Amino acid sequence: MTRVYLVRHGVHDLVGKVLAGRMDDVPLNEAGRQQASALAAFFADRDIGRLASSPMLRCQQTGAPIATTIGRSIETIEALNEIDCGDWTGQTFTDLDKDPRWHDWNAERSRAGMPNGETMLAVQTRVMTLIDTLALDDSAPMVLVSHSDVVKAIVMALLTAPLDHHDRLTIDPASVTTLDLWSGGGKIVRLNEAVPQGVAA
């Protein structure tokens, strides 16, 4: 059995305002850096054997204090990348709310896609290929730093839940979702766990 900790990146200035998608010039803000430090403390004594991250800057910055604390380098894995938001990348949520395609996307993730972007099914397919591979590794626990929709895609696959029900899950910034994986299956141990703040690594 393999224990995997799914971490959503910390907060940045565009959270709740702009669909950042794969914009790579989106750093953590001060609160996000404090969250990353708290995550490092959270993982300090958990015998983490591997640390991997989405290539996005906000994920790399979330993983950096963890890497320092546990003495591991960050592996960059493309399968953990944010969903490709296509033409919607960088748009405000206020503007997106005026686009009927945005409402279709949020109502029917199993069918709808982003214009010139990625479908949720494509996200789930790529990330579950990674998860199935990791399930064969029975070594020390690992940490994967990624994005809300990517974490949701993994959780919903393990629950065999329809992608249209994505809005029934909340994955907060800097939260930890814990999985136990084995060949051919897995379970969710904890979902969207908040890490205590104010504890330095």
Side-chain angles (χ1 to χ4, degrees):
M1 187 172 68
T2 304
R3 174 146 292 189
V4 173
Y5 299 98
L6 304 175
V7 175
R8 183 184 174 189
H9 61 79
V11 294
H12 52 80
D13 288 340
L14 301 185
V15 168
K17 303 172 185 175
V18 172
L19 185 63
R22 292 188 177 182
M23 296 169 60
D24 197 30
D25 56 346
V26 181
L28 299 181
N29 58 22
E30 178 57 31
R33 291 190 291 272
Q34 290 176 7
Q35 290 172 331
S37 178
L39 283 163
F42 178 83
F43 289 116
D45 59 356
R46 293 176 189 260
D47 189 30
I48 303 300
R50 186 175 178 186
L51 171 62
S53 171
S54 157
M56 294 297 99
L57 176 61
R58 54 197 184 271
C59 290
Q60 296 281 325
Q61 289 182 334
T62 300
I66 301 172
T68 299
T69 298
I70 67 174
R72 302 281 180 183
S73 59
I74 301 176
E75 301 174 51
T76 299
I77 297 182
E78 182 62 31
L80 295 172
N81 205 351
E82 176 65 289
I83 187 168
D84 184 349
C85 298
D87 296 345
W88 287 341
T89 301
Q91 291 199 32
T92 67
F93 291 111
T94 300
D95 287 340
L96 287 170
D97 194 50
K98 301 170 187 175
D99 189 336
R101 297 173 300 173
W102 173 251
H103 297 283
D104 289 343
W105 156 253
N106 286 300
E108 297 187 56
R109 291 280 178 98
S110 62
R111 175 193 61 81
M114 295 188 171
N116 294 311
E118 203 171 14
T119 66
M120 191 76 169
L121 180 59
V123 174
Q124 190 175 66
T125 298
R126 65 169 156 89
V127 76
M128 288 310 296
T129 298
L130 171 66
I131 291 296
D132 289 344
T133 300
L134 297 179
L136 302 176
D137 182 356
D138 60 358
S139 59
M142 60 189 75
V143 175
L144 308 179
V145 185
S146 192
H147 307 266
S148 176
D149 276 343
V150 178
V151 175
K152 285 184 178 184
I154 296 169
V155 169
M156 298 182 84
L158 291 177
L159 294 175
T160 64
L163 289 171
D164 292 350
H165 294 170
H166 70 98
D167 56 354
R168 299 183 185 184
L169 295 176
T170 296
I171 303 296
D172 292 316
S175 64
V176 180
T177 293
T178 305
L179 313 177
D180 281 339
L181 304 175
W182 53 86
S183 180
K187 67 179 179 180
I188 299 156
V189 179
R190 283 179 293 278
L191 179 68
N192 196 41
E193 180 179 7
V195 172
Q197 300 294 297
V199 179

